[in-house]
């Protein structure tokens, strides 16, 4: 390595080794706020699921629901949690609910989760064939959004959250 190139590299190495990165001083609620505000780019499969749900609602004379970034951020966080833990669950639902009450003005919150359905039609049909999930889809809500993420094995995980404002 030539010495003019070596000097900047050594300076960078010294800078990196002297700086520290610690979240000890950051309050837990600030960490939650940061992580719950990330909104990933919308995927085609997500758009199609939301369209199918709204088409179903409209066919029953119900109002279509509007998407919302605050909901998508919460859904994404939970979908990522399910993938990391290799389980489908409603774990930490009350935290998501409280975040949406505080961030989006929700007065009621519900969610549907699913795993391994490879098409929008298959996941929506599964929810509509389950009384509890269908009640959520047909419920008195104003907004919704979804996160659909694929794990390393190619299986889809879904979190679909509904709120009433």
């Amino acid at each position: 390595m030539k010495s003019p190139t070596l000097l900047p590299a050594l300076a960078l190495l010294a800078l990196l080794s002297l700086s520290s990165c610690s979240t000890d001083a950051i309050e837990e609620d600030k960490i939650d706020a940061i992580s719950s505000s990330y909104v990933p780019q919308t995927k085609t499969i997500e758009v199609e699921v939301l369209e199918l749900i709204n088409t179903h609602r409209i066919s029953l004379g119900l109002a279509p629901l509007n998407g919302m970034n605050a909901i998508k951020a919460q859904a994404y966080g939970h979908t990522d949690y399910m993938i990391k833990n290799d389980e489908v669950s409603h774990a930490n639902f009350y935290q998501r609910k409280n975040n949406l009450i505080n961030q989006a003005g929700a007065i009621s919150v519900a969610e549907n989760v699913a795993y391994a359905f490879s098409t929008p039609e298959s996941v929506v049909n599964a929810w509509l064939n389950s009384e509890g999930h269908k009640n959520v889809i047909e419920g008195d809500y104003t907004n919704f959004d979804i996160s659909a993420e694929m794990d390393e094995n190619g299986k889809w995980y879904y979190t679909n959250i509904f709120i009433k404002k």
Side-chain angles (χ1 to χ4, degrees):
M1 189 180 270
K2 296 179 182 178
S3 58
T5 308
L6 182 58
L7 187 57
L10 288 175
L12 181 60
L13 179 62
L15 253 175
L16 291 174
S17 64
L18 294 175
S19 65
S20 67
C21 181
S22 173
T23 58
D24 293 343
I26 300 175
E27 298 172 23
E28 285 293 320
D29 58 347
K30 289 182 182 176
I31 294 171
D32 289 341
I34 292 167
S35 65
S36 67
S37 64
Y38 174 71
V39 180
Q41 185 174 359
T42 301
K43 297 172 191 65
T44 301
I45 192 169
E46 295 167 333
V47 171
E48 292 173 357
V49 168
L50 298 176
E51 288 175 350
L52 288 168
I53 289 171
N54 268 339
T55 298
H56 175 77
R57 288 179 58 86
I58 291 167
S59 76
L60 299 174
L62 301 170
L65 304 176
N66 298 308
M68 181 182 281
N69 281 343
I71 299 171
K72 184 163 187 65
Q74 292 297 314
Y76 174 77
H78 184 60
T79 303
D80 189 49
Y81 170 88
M82 291 191 300
I83 290 172
K84 285 180 182 174
N85 290 284
D86 193 25
E87 69 176 0
V88 177
S89 73
H90 292 284
N92 306 311
F93 172 74
Y94 290 103
Q95 181 179 3
R96 287 187 295 289
K97 178 181 176 181
N98 288 334
N99 287 341
L100 289 167
I101 289 169
N102 294 326
Q103 296 171 1
I107 57 174
S108 64
V109 180
E111 74 180 11
N112 287 337
V113 295
Y115 162 77
F117 294 95
S118 60
T119 67
E121 295 81 10
S122 63
V123 71
V124 172
N125 286 337
W127 283 332
L128 290 174
N129 287 318
S130 164
E131 185 176 345
H133 295 98
K134 182 178 179 179
N135 288 341
V136 170
I137 288 172
E138 296 174 357
D140 183 19
Y141 299 104
T142 56
N143 300 82
F144 70 158
D145 224 308
I146 190 167
S147 171
E149 299 295 327
M150 190 180 288
D151 72 6
E152 62 188 19
N153 299 316
K155 299 290 183 185
W156 286 97
Y157 285 76
Y158 303 85
T159 303
N160 189 195
I161 300 177
F162 299 74
I163 71 167
K164 179 177 182 175
K165 291 183 70 165

